[in-house]
Amino acid sequence: MNKKKKTSHLPFRLNVVFFIIFLLFALLVLQLGVVQILHGDDAQQRINRTVDVTTKIPVPRGKMYDRNGNLVVDNKALYSITYTPPKRNIQPQEKLAIAEKLSQYITKETDKVTTRDMKDYWILVNKKEAYGRLTSEEQNELDDTEQYYAVLESITDEDLQTITEREMEIIAIKRELDQAPAHTPHIVKNDKVTEKEYAIVAGNLDQLPGINVTTDWDRYHLYDGTFGNFIGRLTSHDEGLLSDNLDFYLARDYSRNDRVGRSGLEKQYETILRGQKEEYLHVTNDGGNVVRSELIHEGEQGKSLVLTVDMELQQRVDQIVREELQDAIEKYPEKNQYLEDALVVMMDPNTGEVLAMSGQHYDREEDEYKDASFKVVYDAHRPGSAVKGATVLAGLESGVIKEGTVFYDRPIKIAGTPQKSSWINLGNVNDLDALRRSSNVYMFFIAMRMGGEYNYARDKRISFNPEAFTQMRNYFQQFGLGVKTGVDLPFESTGYKGPQTTAGLLLDYAIGQYDTFTTLQLAQYVSTIANGGYRLRPQLVKEIRYSDNGDRLGPIYRAMNPEVLNQIEMTEYIERVQEGFYQVFNVERGTAYGHFRDKPYTAAGKTGTAQNEVYRQVEKDGELVWEKVAETENLTLVGYAPYENPEVSFAIVVPNLGQEAGNSINHKIGKRILDTYFELKEKRTTTSN
């Protein structure tokens, strides 16, 4: 019996133990439920605070080379001092202490310090006095933020005048520290950091939490300013991302203070040139301090651009254009008082590759010649007779003339309009004569017939269908005249399109005296004629390459193949206009014959002269109004060579010459740039052999 009683107590004790264990598990489950349901978000945020903070460090941009492999744009290393704050909130006093210490080792420009920066600093170092200016009512009723703004309002100019020059440098440094995002290196100084500054800061990093010394980079143009307008420039660290494309950049993993292309090819090819940032993962503790960092993605320098431009040719063309512009101004100072610009584009008509683009400008106020090459794509001018090739092709394609059609060249007079004529009365001319001798009247007859008038009589009204304007412009646009060329730049002008569509203005349009076109549009137009009728997109970039160490070109990433935008409808008649362009340069009484007849190469093209008015703002009755001050001429020349197998085409525009003054500058520039092209070709061929 006793034995039975003794053994019966064991299950009871086990049951008690199991019951206690059950209660403990129940409490644990209950606690986990409370944490998950009531405090889950806070717990997760706490976990997140202790892990995975990533930073991305920019890498040098890709380089630029010319078509011959010559380095054009490189990256120049700079000493740089940076600040990388931890994730935890750094108090203003802590940053001030760092700035004060750092100011002992470096100098810092103070031009960006604002009045607000100075007031913030004054409050930090004079906190008791600053807050002592608050009234009892302000101290009791305003919250901390409102009190701070009240203190700001109380600071006077006399207070700020007590700030010393050294304190201004401290403020300038602290201003940079305040702008630094957590765990992201922010440049405190990278301009004119001396070796001494770099070394002394490096030796005192243990006293400067978050401060580091490293190298930054800046763009370096090996050809000084040559082609600089098209290479473009970058924003500074202070400017950061461009506001007009902010969302675009942020969506592509840019930081707000990243430097980006502001203009030219730097902007056009920004995402190619920028490279892949170096990415680090930082593990932080609960206090926000980094306990471990690891590289999770190696940085990759931006890809490089191989330009289509020949920099040696570009330099020589710049010099030629500047010399001829200066010669015309100095020889005819009175007549050419409004002459300021000369513009040139050279390209390969078979690929659309731009070989050189030059624009020279004379600044009369500073008496200085400046690079203004951007004007070849930004500025549009009346081209004059240079567009007559398009007019003849429009006439042939529309059926209003045939090859060999003859008109008698004499002054044209339509009722109610001024008389119009060629530069001299040419008598009977066919389409080839009209191009060779530059007959305006021949073009007038084409325009009248396209408008519906086949029976012109002097001083009589003519039949005219305004749709002829649309038809003529459509033909011109097939050559790129009046539309975007498609050049790989952030912006280009399409010129001025006249709003009126009367018969007389269509006659003006047919001889290049109404709508305006850019020099690049004219180069695309003549290239289309040279290559047999294919309008090619002008290209400034030939290849995109992977970056390589040193100055060598890396492997090809992408070749920019020629792109045909359209084929003109008039290819059936293109050889007729090519023959006319040949006669302009190579047959007696051709308007360019005297300048190109003795050349070792055979060129073809078309000359142009357009009347142009100069307007200036003048004051009348206390108001500024636009007033015509002069009648001038635009001189143009378009062409290509060699005639038999074109490899270079060109367009030249020299606006606002005085009438009958320096009237061969377009020919002089044309001769010299073609001479230079073939001289360089021969020199390189000889060298390679």
Side-chain angles (χ1 to χ4, degrees):
M1 293 293 293
N2 292 337
K3 187 176 181 180
K4 290 181 180 178
K5 288 181 179 179
K6 189 173 182 179
T7 58
S8 67
H9 287 278
L10 184 58
F12 176 75
R13 291 172 181 173
L14 285 175
N15 288 334
V16 171
V17 171
F18 289 148
F19 181 71
I20 292 171
I21 293 172
F22 170 77
L23 289 177
L24 290 175
F25 271 105
L27 288 173
L28 180 60
V29 170
L30 180 63
Q31 181 64 26
L32 287 174
V34 170
V35 170
Q36 181 68 27
I37 297 171
L38 299 181
H39 306 293
D41 290 343
D42 290 341
Q44 186 62 48
Q45 288 177 11
R46 186 175 182 84
I47 292 171
N48 290 341
R49 282 201 304 269
T50 61
V51 294
D52 63 358
V53 176
T54 60
T55 61
K56 297 179 180 180
I57 302 174
V59 295
R61 290 172 77 83
K63 302 177 183 181
M64 297 188 196
Y65 300 81
D66 82 342
R67 67 184 297 109
N68 299 311
N70 299 308
L71 187 60
V72 177
V73 181
D74 200 355
N75 299 304
K76 179 172 63 175
L78 302 172
Y79 286 137
S80 180
I81 297 169
T82 65
Y83 174 61
T84 307
K87 188 176 181 182
R88 69 180 179 85
N89 187 30
I90 302 296
Q91 297 301 311
Q93 286 288 359
E94 295 179 76
K95 291 182 180 178
L96 179 60
I98 298 171
E100 288 174 340
K101 189 69 175 177
L102 187 57
S103 71
Q104 299 174 23
Y105 306 137
I106 68 171
T107 61
K108 179 70 176 173
E109 295 291 336
T110 62
D111 55 313
K112 294 177 182 176
V113 172
T114 66
T115 301
R116 174 61 186 271
D117 295 330
M118 296 170 67
K119 288 185 176 182
D120 288 336
Y121 172 80
W122 194 91
I123 293 173
L124 273 176
V125 298
N126 301 282
K127 187 172 183 178
K128 185 175 181 180
E129 178 183 348
Y131 278 87
R133 296 177 180 182
L134 294 175
T135 65
S136 58
E137 183 179 350
E138 289 173 327
Q139 292 176 359
N140 294 327
E141 296 182 2
L142 300 181
D143 61 27
D144 291 345
T145 301
E146 291 170 333
Q147 286 186 13
Y148 190 81
Y149 280 106
V151 171
L152 281 174
E153 290 294 327
S154 72
I155 298 175
T156 65
D157 291 340
E158 289 73 17
D159 294 329
L160 299 182
Q161 288 172 5
T162 64
I163 297 175
T164 66
E165 289 186 12
R166 182 175 181 277
E167 287 179 307
M168 286 292 288
E169 290 194 36
I170 294 172
I171 297 171
I173 294 172
K174 182 179 177 299
R175 186 174 187 272
E176 296 295 343
L177 304 186
D178 289 337
Q179 295 177 5
H183 290 301
T184 301
H186 177 81
I187 291 175
V188 178
K189 181 179 180 181
N190 69 344
D191 182 33
K192 300 178 182 177
V193 177
T194 66
E195 291 185 10
K196 181 179 179 181
E197 288 177 326
Y198 186 88
I200 197 170
V201 171
N204 289 275
L205 293 179
D206 58 330
Q207 304 176 43
L208 299 165
I211 298 296
N212 198 5
V213 290
T214 182
T215 55
D216 191 24
W217 52 269
D218 198 7
R219 287 306 235 180
Y220 173 54
H221 292 213
L222 281 78
Y223 287 81
D224 297 323
T226 301
F227 209 64
N229 281 322
F230 298 111
I231 290 172
R233 65 186 186 90
L234 305 178
T235 61
S236 65
H237 282 291
D238 291 330
E239 293 171 320
L241 302 182
L242 296 168
S243 59
D244 57 344
N245 286 312
L246 185 61
D247 292 340
F248 172 87
Y249 292 126
L250 292 177
R252 285 159 178 78
D253 208 24
Y254 282 76
S255 301
R256 288 180 179 270
N257 66 339
D258 282 348
R259 285 177 291 176
V260 295
R262 171 180 286 280
S263 60
L265 295 171
E266 295 278 19
K267 181 177 182 179
Q268 182 73 16
Y269 289 92
E270 166 62 32
T271 56
I272 295 292
L273 291 165
R274 69 174 294 224
Q276 182 66 46
K277 292 181 178 180
E278 202 167 67
E279 188 171 354
Y280 286 87
L281 173 67
H282 305 287
V283 179
T284 63
N285 60 24
D286 191 40
N289 297 312
V290 176
V291 296
R292 188 177 77 254
S293 296
E294 60 181 88
L295 178 66
I296 59 175
H297 194 289
E298 289 189 5
E300 180 183 341
Q301 182 175 345
K303 295 178 179 62
S304 296
L305 304 181
V306 178
L307 308 183
T308 62
V309 175
D310 181 331
M311 290 301 288
E312 186 176 4
L313 175 65
Q314 178 71 47
Q315 288 181 314
R316 302 258 309 253
V317 171
D318 284 344
Q319 181 180 356
I320 290 167
V321 176
R322 184 169 56 252
E323 288 175 353
E324 294 300 339
L325 179 62
Q326 183 174 356
D327 183 67
I329 290 172
E330 291 181 353
K331 279 187 176 179
Y332 306 95
E334 294 298 323
K335 291 184 176 181
N336 281 335
Q337 59 180 304
Y338 298 104
L339 172 60
E340 296 178 342
D341 299 316
L343 312 172
V344 172
V345 173
M346 300 180 74
M347 58 194 299
D348 183 335
N350 303 299
T351 63
E353 294 176 358
V354 174
L355 305 176
M357 292 202 295
S358 179
Q360 298 296 311
H361 172 76
Y362 176 55
D363 188 322
R364 294 183 178 274
E365 291 185 2
E366 298 183 17
D367 189 25
E368 183 180 357
Y369 289 86
K370 300 178 179 180
D371 179 75
S373 52
F374 61 89
K375 291 188 175 185
V376 304
V377 295
Y378 279 30
D379 287 9
H381 302 277
R382 294 174 185 166
S385 301
V387 299
K388 287 178 178 175
T391 304
V392 170
L393 283 170
L396 290 167
E397 179 65 24
S398 64
V400 301
I401 63 169
K402 297 180 180 180
E403 293 181 2
T405 295
V406 174
F407 294 116
Y408 188 75
D409 185 308
R410 80 284 196 191
I412 293 291
K413 180 69 169 69
I414 300 172
T417 67
Q419 178 172 288
K420 300 176 181 292
S421 65
S422 300
W423 58 286
I424 58 171
N425 296 339
L426 299 174
N428 285 324
V429 291
N430 63 17
D431 49 333
L432 295 179
D433 300 327
L435 291 172
R436 175 169 56 93
R437 304 187 65 190
S438 200
S439 168
N440 289 344
V441 173
Y442 198 94
M443 309 304 149
F444 296 156
F445 275 109
I446 291 175
M448 284 190 289
R449 288 191 170 190
M450 288 182 67
E453 180 58 66
Y454 279 77
N455 298 301
Y456 161 78
R458 184 174 176 80
D459 224 5
K460 302 291 184 181
R461 293 193 177 277
I462 62 173
S463 300
F464 180 68
N465 181 355
E467 288 300 314
F469 242 113
T470 300
Q471 185 184 20
M472 181 83 82
R473 280 182 171 142
N474 286 341
Y475 284 129
F476 273 51
Q477 288 172 7
Q478 293 182 42
F479 295 95
L481 297 172
V483 295
K484 287 187 176 181
T485 65
V487 66
D488 46 343
L489 286 171
F491 174 82
E492 65 168 313
S493 170
T494 56
Y496 170 81
K497 182 177 179 180
Q500 298 178 345
T501 56
T502 64
L505 291 175
L506 183 61
L507 271 59
D508 292 340
Y509 183 90
I511 62 169
Q513 285 277 173
Y514 189 40
D515 286 5
T516 64
F517 308 122
T518 67
T519 311
L520 184 60
Q521 286 175 322
L522 290 171
Q524 189 179 53
Y525 147 72
V526 75
S527 295
T528 304
I529 292 175
N531 67 35
Y534 296 90
R535 183 167 77 99
L536 293 162
R537 183 190 302 278
Q539 294 179 196
L540 292 178
V541 173
K542 185 180 180 70
E543 295 171 344
I544 299 173
R545 297 222 179 199
Y546 290 101
S547 293
D548 199 359
N549 294 327
D551 298 339
R552 295 179 302 168
L553 286 167
I556 292 179
Y557 169 74
R558 184 193 308 163
M560 312 299 277
N561 296 320
E563 183 178 350
V564 177
L565 299 178
N566 62 267
Q567 183 179 10
I568 63 171
E569 298 173 5
M570 308 82 102
T571 52
E572 178 183 353
Y573 307 104
I574 195 74
E575 291 183 2
R576 187 70 172 177
V577 170
Q578 290 173 342
E579 172 62 23
F581 276 21
Y582 170 85
Q583 292 190 14
V584 170
F585 277 58
N586 300 284
V587 176
E588 287 189 12
R589 294 200 290 182
T591 52
Y593 173 69
H595 299 275
F596 290 90
R597 59 184 175 183
D598 296 325
K599 294 297 178 184
Y601 51 84
T602 303
K606 186 70 188 76
T607 59
T609 303
Q611 295 177 350
N612 197 44
E613 304 83 28
V614 176
Y615 289 85
R616 293 286 188 268
Q617 280 191 314
V618 297
E619 186 174 343
K620 283 190 175 182
D621 300 326
E623 294 184 2
L624 288 176
V625 297
W626 289 97
E627 184 177 89
K628 185 170 71 173
V629 295
E631 292 277 357
T632 62
E633 293 178 342
N634 297 342
L635 294 188
T636 60
L637 182 68
V638 298
Y640 54 90
Y643 172 73
E644 301 82 2
N645 187 22
E647 58 187 69
V648 59
S649 57
F650 66 90
I652 300 166
V653 178
V654 186
N656 296 328
L657 284 96
Q659 294 180 344
E660 300 179 2
N663 59 359
S664 62
I665 181 174
N666 52 343
H667 297 289
K668 291 178 180 178
I669 293 174
K671 284 190 299 183
R672 293 184 65 186
I673 63 174
L674 282 184
D675 289 349
T676 299
Y677 172 85
F678 287 107
E679 286 170 9
L680 288 175
K681 179 184 177 182
E682 182 178 0
K683 181 183 75 172
R684 290 164 181 168
T685 301
T686 302
T687 302
S688 64
N689 292 336

